Amino acid sequence: MHTFFAPDLVGPTYTLPEDESKHAIRVLRLGLGDTVELLDGRGGRYQAAVADANPKRCQLRIIQHETVAPRPYFTHVAVAPTKNLDRMEWFVEKAVEVGVERISFLRCARSERRELKLERLEKIAISALKQSGQAWLPQLDELQDFAAFMAGVAPATTFIAHLEEGERTALAQVAGAGPGCCVLIGPEGDFTPQEIELAISKGIRPVTLGASRLRTETAALAAVFTAHVVRA
C-alpha cells in the first residue's frame, strides 16, 4: 500500500498537495476506491480511499484510523553536522527508520560546518517516515552553539561520547537507566578538551560506543541503535 504524509489531516477527508496528487494519479495510477496509507507524524495512522482522482487535488476519504502510542523510551541525539552534508542526510534517514524522537545539531569549536538549513533534512526525515512506517516524526532542532545547548540539558540522562583519554563507560551500560537519554556526538575532529570539561562539570557522563573509531554519522546512528537495544 502506498504511503503519504499528511501532517495537517483533520476530519473525514484529506486532499493531497498538488505535487503528491500528481504523483498519486499520474505516476502511481491510483483510481477511485484505491486505498492508501496516511501518516500524520504525530502517531496517527490512517487508511484512506481515493474519492476524487484529480491529479491536482486528489481527495481521500478516511476509512480506518489508529493512534500509535509514543515509544516509552525517549531517544535524543545531539550531533555536530559533518562538512559533507550527504553524510548527515544518511544519518537522519537511518535514524528515523530505526526510531528516534529528537535530533539536535551542534556547532562546536572544531566543526567544519558552521551553518545548516533544515529544509532538506526535514524532507529526508519525512521520506524515511513513509518508507519505514514509523508513526512519529522526530523533532529536528536548528544548529546551535555547544555552550548554548549545554545550558538546557538534563545531566542525569545526558552522555557525551568522545575519544579523549580518561574513564568512559559503555553507553549500553547506562543508557537504559532512565526514561530516555541524550547522547552528544562531536565533529570529525572530536570535542575539544574544554568542551568535554564543560560537559563533565555539569554532571554529564562520558561514554564510549565501542573500540572502533567511528565517523560522526556512524557514531550518531550507533547511539540511536544502542538506545533501542538496551530497551528491547
Side-chain angles (χ1 to χ4, degrees):
M1 186 182 300
H2 300 292
T3 302
F4 295 89
F5 183 56
D8 52 349
L9 193 158
V10 177
T13 63
Y14 182 75
T15 302
L16 294 174
E18 185 171 347
D19 58 335
E20 292 274 58
S21 293
K22 182 178 180 180
H23 181 72
I25 306 305
R26 299 295 191 209
V27 179
L28 300 179
R29 303 291 185 183
L30 296 179
L32 288 176
D34 287 340
T35 57
V36 300
E37 181 183 54
L38 298 176
L39 299 172
D40 64 11
R42 306 183 305 277
R45 190 191 304 275
Y46 305 80
Q47 186 175 342
V50 176
D52 183 1
N54 188 314
K56 289 189 176 181
R57 50 183 182 279
C58 176
Q59 188 177 71
L60 305 171
R61 176 175 52 85
I62 308 302
I63 56 179
Q64 187 176 335
H65 168 228
E66 68 169 318
T67 300
V68 179
R71 280 180 289 269
Y73 186 75
F74 192 93
T75 303
H76 179 191
V77 172
V79 57
T82 54
K83 182 178 181 180
N84 184 344
L85 194 55
D86 288 348
R87 289 161 57 187
M88 276 296 97
E89 293 174 357
W90 176 87
F91 161 64
V92 169
E93 178 183 72
K94 303 310 174 188
V96 173
E97 289 177 10
V98 172
V100 66
E101 280 64 50
R102 184 178 177 186
I103 300 174
S104 299
F105 297 101
L106 305 176
R107 186 188 295 107
C108 299
R110 292 173 176 166
S111 291
E112 293 189 81
R113 176 170 288 279
R114 313 301 297 183
E115 301 295 335
L116 182 70
K117 293 183 179 180
L118 286 186
E119 183 178 357
R120 169 68 177 166
L121 294 176
E122 288 170 343
K123 289 181 179 179
I124 287 172
I126 291 170
S127 178
L129 181 88
K130 295 191 295 183
Q131 188 279 326
S132 62
Q134 295 280 359
W136 290 87
L137 187 69
Q139 174 182 333
L140 299 186
D141 297 333
E142 295 283 354
L143 184 69
Q144 59 181 314
D145 290 335
F146 180 79
F149 178 82
M150 293 299 292
V153 301
T157 54
T158 303
F159 308 94
I160 183 168
H162 67 79
L163 298 174
E164 290 287 323
E165 294 294 329
E167 184 177 349
R168 291 169 292 158
T169 305
L171 178 62
Q173 294 181 16
V174 294
C181 71
C182 174
V183 185
L184 313 182
I185 305 294
E188 292 157 299
D190 201 7
F191 292 112
T192 63
Q194 293 77 19
E195 289 168 335
I196 297 170
E197 182 179 348
L198 173 61
I200 293 175
S201 72
K202 289 183 174 292
I204 294 170
R205 286 169 284 177
V207 294
T208 176
L209 297 168
S212 300
R213 184 184 294 268
L214 304 177
R215 289 180 178 271
T216 295
E217 71 278 12
T218 310
L221 185 60
V224 173
F225 184 75
T226 299
H228 277 267
V229 169
V230 299
R231 301 297 290 196

